[in-house]
Structure formats: structure tokens, C-alpha cells
Amino acid sequence: MKALVWHGTTDIRCDSVPDPQIEHPRDAIIKVTSCAICGSDLHLYDHFMPGMKSGDIMGHETMGEVVEVGAESKGKLKVGDRVVIPFTIICGECDQCKRGNFSVCERTNRNGHIAAKAFGHSTAGLFGYTHLTGGYAGGQAEYLRVPFADATHIKVPKGIPDEKLLFLSDIFPTGWQAAVQCDIQPDDTVAIWGAGPVGQMAIRSAVLLGAKQVVVIDRVPERLAMAEAGGAITINFDEESVIERLNELTNGKGPEKCIDAVGMEAHAAGTIDAMYDRVKQATMMETDRPHVLREMAYVCRPAGTLSIPGVYGGLLDKIPFGAIMNKGLTIRTGQTHVNRWTDDLLHRIEEGQIDPSFVITHTVGLEEGPDMYKIFRDKQDGCVKVVLKP
Amino acid sequence: MRYETARTRRQGHADTATDTLARGLGLFSIAFGIAEVAAPRAMARALGMKGQEGLIAGYGLREIATGIGILASKDPTPWIWGRVAGDALDLATLATALEGKNPKKENVGIAMAAVAGVTALDVYCAQTLSRESPHPLPPIQDYSDRTGFPQGVDHSWGAASDFEVPDDFRTPEPLRPYTQPDLPQRPMPGL
Ligand SMILES: NC(=O)c1ccc[n+]([C@@H]2O[C@H](COP(=O)([O-])OP(=O)(O)OC[C@H]3O[C@@H](n4cnc5c(N)ncnc54)[C@H](O)[C@@H]3O)[C@@H](O)[C@H]2O)c1
Ligand SMILES: [Zn+2]
Ligand SMILES: [Zn+2]
């Protein structure tokens, strides 16, 4: 089959690879009908996340049709079922899964011992996302093997186009969880850093959950326009002072809830801390560039909440923990517990409360995937979200 | 650079390798210019160009101005072409030092080789930049109708208020605004 394969930094190719096979009775194989490129994939493309090996298949936002089911998954899935596959692989049976903390499932990461060395404990296995999280083949391919398939799937009805459903796999629940982590109150200002796909979903979620105002920070004009269309007030961090504008919009009090939808590759125009991070990251003394975290901790209203869906990989430097502690800020973060939200979100899509397909700007075949990685990374051609059709 | 600063080209483009090269050439221009301005005599001596100190210092000023132009301008392309022209001038001037019986001819040769190397970089950079900035720029896509809300933004505000935030994500009771009695706020006492 054809698949997008990681070969090294900024080197992803569309290769022919062997078709996946059932390896365990809980597995299923799906024929992929749509998959997408995620901002998290860019951290692998740019190679800021450690733990990739040449030959790994990319992709963790995938949907399709079940074509083969292992014996132990037969009760839950059958050939022909239409499914969206969550990016977190879950067993559905461990203590964390029982609590709904699916992204820290204790049993699906077959390289759990390595993850435990890095993070103290193992976290869930993820599709197409480094050997730290299991080294499972990803879904930017014609076929995908789904381990623990009896639990790791979201059944979706026929008759709704892929485009409306695909993002149940990741960015929609991720934006949703980012907003839910804020426990939004009617008089809250929610400030969201990053108007990428995750930021866009977080904006829609914060609106649906009834924030007083939603403010978004980015510098890409098309993305800011799309954010505005969804109801957000926009700040262009290249042109204005983020801190000043946020204080202005909140009568000097600061936003109650701050969401980091940027992650470890934050840009900052000419600030001292940004140069410091670039140098340290380049010299391998720091793994991430936490400019956004610093800004959030500084501007957030005392007793407010920092919600961090943006991905970080390792050690962060110069975090103003004094501000966090003394202002009594709450931090909520994590990879998304996708299946915890998807039943409810599917309903909201069916009811017409939201249509997540608004974010798609490019739909191409798998062979064009490698080019699209670059276009998406460089935010060229108005690119916000890429869907691949194998 | 073009891709990075406000009000220049369309924003949000990643810094490209060429932009980085242009910036490097800008810094090099300034550093080299400072050396020429600060020590024209030493340079003249090394090249066997005694009596041309004023010319060297003048070239230094030109280098500094070009460097600043590259770093500060919205579009460095014309400034990099300026460097190419400057390189040609440098090479021509150095060539004059090869005439007659200059005992430092060897040094002049080395200097010319170095300038030629930088010239190649300058030409490459200028050409790539010229190719990269096709005018007019593609129009920015219009996403103003991509609300994501089939029922419109206004209708959707608070539409999911029925959602119950799970306990583990809830704000602790004492931090909730409505747990505080609704007392009027008196003005801050003057301190
Ligand atoms: N927690 C999860 O489960 C989860 C799931 C999906 C994605 N993510 C993460 O969310 C983040 C965003 O994903 P995406 O798909 O939207 O990626 P993206 O790269 O398309 O978007 C990031 C956006 O942030 C903007 N940005 C950069 N620096 C900024 C700054 N200083 N201030 C404000 N904005 C800035 C960029 O211009 C860009 O538009 C990534 O880190 C991704 O890994 C997390
Ligand atoms: Zn993702
Ligand atoms: Zn589990």
C-alpha cells in the first residue's frame, strides 16, 4: 500500500510499504477513506520530538471502513462498519480508562518503559507518533491496523460526509477539551494563543460553551480572519502588544482563562526571551520554546486557569513559576481524552450545532502529502488544515 | 525580513533559508565595513595600497550602509543587488593593485579570491530573492464566511450550555464567582 513515511528531519515521502496485518486478536484493519495532517505532525516533521525512526508511518487523524476484525474485537466491530479512529490507543479496561483519562491509558503503550524513563510513567500508545508512545504505524496510508480496536474507535453513521466527522479523531475534541478544562463561566474572557486548527476548534468550543468574549492571538492573516468568522476578537502579535491588548479588553484585569494552542514551536517577533530560546534549542540545551506559556502566566487574571493542549516534549526554561504560584493559577493540560467527548460531540455535529469541516482548506491525494507538509508548516497558500484522500 | 515583520509581505510565512542568508550577508557587510572604517591603514598596508586609505574607509561606509539597508528594509532584494555592485567595485579596485610592482600582490590575490567567493553568494542570494518575490503577491484567501456554525455565530453563542463540565475539570467551589455573596463594592480607600 501507499503511505507517508518519515525518513528524517523535513523528509517525508509517499512510499510503497507492506499492507498491515492482524497481529493480535483485538486488532482490526481499516481501509482509510480520509486522513489529515495535524500540527502535532509538524513537531515530527521538524524533528523537535525525539523518538522517531526512519521508516515510521505518519498520521493520527484517520477514518475509514473496517475490512478485517480480529477474533476478540468481533462483538464490537464488524466488517463494513464506518469508524473514526481516535489518535489515542485505549484499552478501555485499565484504571485510567475507567476514569475517562484515556490519553494516559496504562496498557496500550508497548514501549511504556521508555516513556516511564522520560516522564516518570507511561502514557497511552498513539498512532504514528514516535517510539516513546509505542511506535505504532500511523494512518496517513491506505490501510491502518488498529490495536485494541474493540475500544479504540468511534462508530459513525453513514450519510454524513467524512469532512464533518474526521476531526472527531483529534482536533475537535482537543479544542473542546481545551475549553472544557477552562470550566467557562458566563463572564469569562477566554484568550486563545494560536489560530491553527486546534485554536480554531477551541474558539468554536468556547463560543458554544458561552464565554463572555473569546480573544485569539496569531499573526497569519487568513487564520485570524477564520477566527473572526467564528466569533473571536483577534490580536496580531506581530503588530500589537499581546499583553496590552488583553488588558485593554478586560479592563486591566486580564483574561480569566488562557489556552495555549501553539505548543513547543512558538514564534515570537524579536523579543529577548524568544532569541534566548532559539539559541538554547539550537544548542540542545532546551527542547521547547515556551514563549506562549510565559505570556499566559504573566497576563492571566489571578485565580485564573491555564489550559494547555499545545504539545511540549521535554524541558522548558525560564517559566515564571513565581507568577503562577503567587497568582494561584490552575494548570490543566494533557493529550486529549478523545473518546471521553466524542459521543456528545457527534451529537452536536448531527444536530447542526457545529460543522468542523469549516477548517479544511486543502484536500489532496496521498502522493501530494509530502508537499502539503511544507505548505502547512510554512502557512503558505492560506493553508489551515489538510485532508488527504488515499 | 520580508516574511517576518509587520506590514511587509504577507505575514506568517516561515523564515526561509534565503532570508537567513540575506541577513547573514547584512551582518557580514556591517562587520566588514566597520573593519575598513576602523583600520584603513592596516588594510592598505596589507594590500600594498598605501595612499588609498580614504578610499578604503569610504568603501567601509558603503558596506555599513548596505548592511543596515539589508537588515532594516522591508525587502532586502535591492540591497543585496547593491552588494553585488559593490563587490564588482571592490574587485575592480583590487585589480588595480595587481598592476605595477606591488610587493603585496599575493595578499591582493587572496583578497580577490575571498571577495569573489562572497560575490558568488551575493549573486545567488539576490537571484533567489528576486525569483521569490513575484509581484503582485497572491491575494489572501477570504475565510470570513467560515464560521463553523451552521446556525450562525450569534445563534451558537452558549448553545452548548447544557454541557456539564466533569468534576475533574471544574473550578474549585471557592474560586467560583457565584459562591461569593453579592456585596456592593466600596471604593478603594486612599492610601
Ligand atoms: N493535546 C492534544 O491532544 C493535541 C492534539 C492536537 C494538537 N495538539 C497541539 O496543539 C498545537 C497546535 O496544533 P495546530 O494543529 O493548531 O498547529 P499549527 O502549527 O497549525 O498552529 C499553531 C499556530 O500558532 C501560531 N503561533 C506561533 N507562535 C505564536 C505565538 N507566539 N503566539 C500566538 N500564536 C502563535 C502559529 O502562527 C500557528 O497558526 C500543537 O502543539 C499540536 O501539537 C495537541
Ligand atoms: Zn493531532
Ligand atoms: Zn486503558
Side-chain angles (χ1 to χ4, degrees):
Chain A
M1 65 164 185
K2 292 252 173 303
L4 297 190
V5 177
W6 190 91
H7 287 274
T9 311
T10 65
D11 184 4
I12 287 173
R13 302 178 208 159
C14 185
D15 290 348
S16 283
V17 298
D19 285 358
Q21 313 259 303
I22 299 267
E23 293 171 21
H24 182 275
R26 285 185 76 174
D27 290 357
I29 306 286
I30 69 161
K31 180 176 187 333
V32 178
T33 54
S34 298
C35 54
I37 305 179
C38 176
S40 301
D41 293 329
L42 294 180
H43 305 319
L44 308 180
Y45 181 66
D46 292 332
H47 207 181
F48 282 122
M49 280 296 272
M52 288 298 280
K53 290 187 191 155
S54 178
D56 288 347
I57 300 177
M58 301 284 299
H60 60 263
E61 301 186 356
T62 309
M63 68 180 294
E65 198 188 300
V66 177
V67 290
E68 210 183 331
V69 187
E72 283 180 36
S73 283
K74 282 224 161 93
K76 294 283 175 64
L77 276 181
K78 59 178 190 310
V79 171
D81 279 349
R82 189 179 186 213
V83 287
V84 173
I85 304 300
F87 76 95
T88 43
I89 304 172
I90 60 178
C91 75
E93 294 162 355
C94 70
D95 283 352
Q96 295 290 5
C97 281
K98 277 191 226 152
R99 289 182 167 84
N101 296 333
F102 295 115
S103 73
V104 288
C105 169
E106 294 168 338
R107 297 169 57 206
T108 52
N109 184 350
R110 55 186 172 186
N111 295 333
H113 56 286
I114 311 179
K117 284 232 173 68
F119 298 143
H121 295 88
S122 169
T123 56
L126 306 179
F127 288 100
Y129 216 74
T130 83
H131 289 263
L132 275 178
T133 49
Y136 293 101
Q140 286 164 8
E142 289 177 293
Y143 294 91
L144 173 68
R145 177 177 81 94
V146 182
F148 301 88
D150 54 311
T152 308
H153 69 265
I154 303 149
K155 254 192 220 159
V156 290
K158 307 213 157 124
I160 305 176
D162 277 16
E163 285 67 20
K164 284 192 178 188
L165 300 171
L166 174 60
F167 303 133
L168 285 171
S169 59
D170 180 350
I171 55 168
F172 183 24
T174 295
W176 181 259
Q177 182 174 318
V180 169
Q181 284 175 165
C182 291
D183 187 15
I184 293 172
Q185 305 298 315
D187 38 14
D188 279 351
T189 295
V190 180
I192 300 171
W193 277 254
V198 170
Q200 300 289 348
M201 295 297 164
I203 294 167
R204 274 53 177 194
S205 303
V207 166
L208 287 173
L209 290 166
K212 184 174 118 210
Q213 57 180 355
V214 180
V215 187
V216 74
I217 299 130
D218 205 301
R219 64 170 174 181
V220 184
E222 292 95 335
R223 294 179 176 213
L224 289 172
M226 192 185 271
E228 205 172 337
I233 300 167
T234 59
I235 300 179
N236 184 328
F237 71 82
D238 255 355
E239 296 183 338
E240 322 167 72
S241 156
V242 175
I243 308 266
E244 268 171 35
R245 272 300 302 287
L246 283 175
N247 279 327
E248 223 170 80
L249 288 164
T250 53
N251 293 321
K253 302 213 179 232
E256 285 83 0
K257 310 288 159 71
C258 297
I259 296 177
D260 172 355
V262 178
M264 63 167 98
E265 292 181 61
H267 290 273
T271 58
I272 304 277
D273 73 310
M275 284 190 243
Y276 175 86
D277 284 332
R278 284 225 173 226
V279 172
K280 285 203 88 169
Q281 202 175 40
T283 51
M284 316 288 275
M285 286 155 69
E286 182 180 37
T287 54
D288 307 61
R289 297 198 300 255
H291 175 73
V292 168
L293 286 182
R294 295 185 191 122
E295 217 159 57
M296 295 206 311
Y298 186 79
V299 79
C300 186
R301 187 173 181 177
T305 300
L306 310 182
S307 167
I308 310 173
V311 165
Y312 291 88
L315 308 178
L316 279 61
D317 210 346
K318 300 278 182 291
I319 294 300
F321 214 83
I324 296 173
M325 187 274 156
N326 285 286
K327 294 206 283 185
L329 304 183
T330 301
I331 298 181
R332 291 204 177 88
T333 181
Q335 300 281 1
T336 305
H337 307 310
V338 178
N339 286 63
R340 188 158 171 184
W341 319 110
T342 41
D343 287 352
D344 179 53
L345 295 181
L346 177 58
H347 265 121
R348 295 183 193 278
I349 295 172
E350 286 176 315
E351 278 168 18
Q353 240 179 46
I354 181 163
D355 174 359
S357 67
F358 75 90
V359 78
I360 302 172
T361 53
H362 291 69
T363 305
V364 299
L366 207 53
E367 324 72 50
E368 286 173 67
D371 294 333
M372 289 317 296
Y373 264 90
K374 187 167 161 33
I375 291 176
F376 174 47
R377 199 253 332 246
D378 294 347
K379 299 162 187 75
Q380 284 166 349
D381 195 27
C383 184
V384 181
K385 189 75 181 177
V386 181
V387 171
L388 306 168
K389 295 279 187 183
Chain B
M1 289 297 138
R2 277 184 310 144
Y3 294 94
E4 284 190 341
T5 56
R7 289 171 294 276
T8 57
R9 220 186 104 92
R10 286 170 49 200
Q11 291 163 47
H13 289 249
D15 21 349
T16 63
T18 327
D19 275 338
T20 315
L21 174 60
R23 180 172 304 155
L25 290 169
L27 288 173
F28 172 78
S29 250
I30 293 177
F32 190 62
I34 289 175
E36 283 180 307
V37 171
R41 202 161 314 146
M43 216 168 270
R45 204 177 315 122
L47 295 170
M49 291 171 65
K50 280 234 174 82
Q52 308 219 44
E53 286 81 1
L55 187 71
I56 292 177
Y59 280 13
L61 290 177
R62 185 202 76 215
E63 291 277 3
I64 294 172
T66 316
I68 292 175
I70 293 170
L71 294 180
S73 70
K74 294 178 178 182
D75 182 355
T77 317
W79 294 96
I80 299 283
W81 281 117
R83 271 195 54 84
V84 174
D87 293 336
L89 200 61
D90 285 347
L91 285 173
T93 310
L94 284 169
T96 62
L98 281 179
E99 286 157 17
K101 43 180 185 346
N102 179 352
K104 298 280 168 63
K105 266 187 190 160
E106 240 166 62
N107 284 354
V108 174
I110 294 170
M112 286 182 79
V115 173
V118 182
T119 307
L121 270 183
D122 283 331
V123 171
Y124 167 78
C125 184
Q127 278 178 344
T128 319
L129 281 174
S130 300
R131 222 177 308 125
E132 260 185 6
S133 49
H135 300 286
L137 298 165
I140 289 177
Q141 258 97 338
D142 179 15
Y143 293 152
S144 56
D145 58 344
R146 292 181 174 240
T147 66
F149 299 119
Q151 290 154 35
V153 180
D154 293 338
H155 231 85
S156 306
W157 217 280
S161 308
D162 58 314
F163 179 80
E164 270 191 47
V165 175
D167 281 347
D168 52 339
F169 289 170
R170 281 175 84 84
T171 306
E173 283 309 316
L175 293 179
R176 287 177 173 272
Y178 48 78
T179 56
Q180 305 301 325
D182 222 351
L183 289 178
Q185 212 175 52
R186 280 170 293 170
M188 286 245 279
L191 294 175

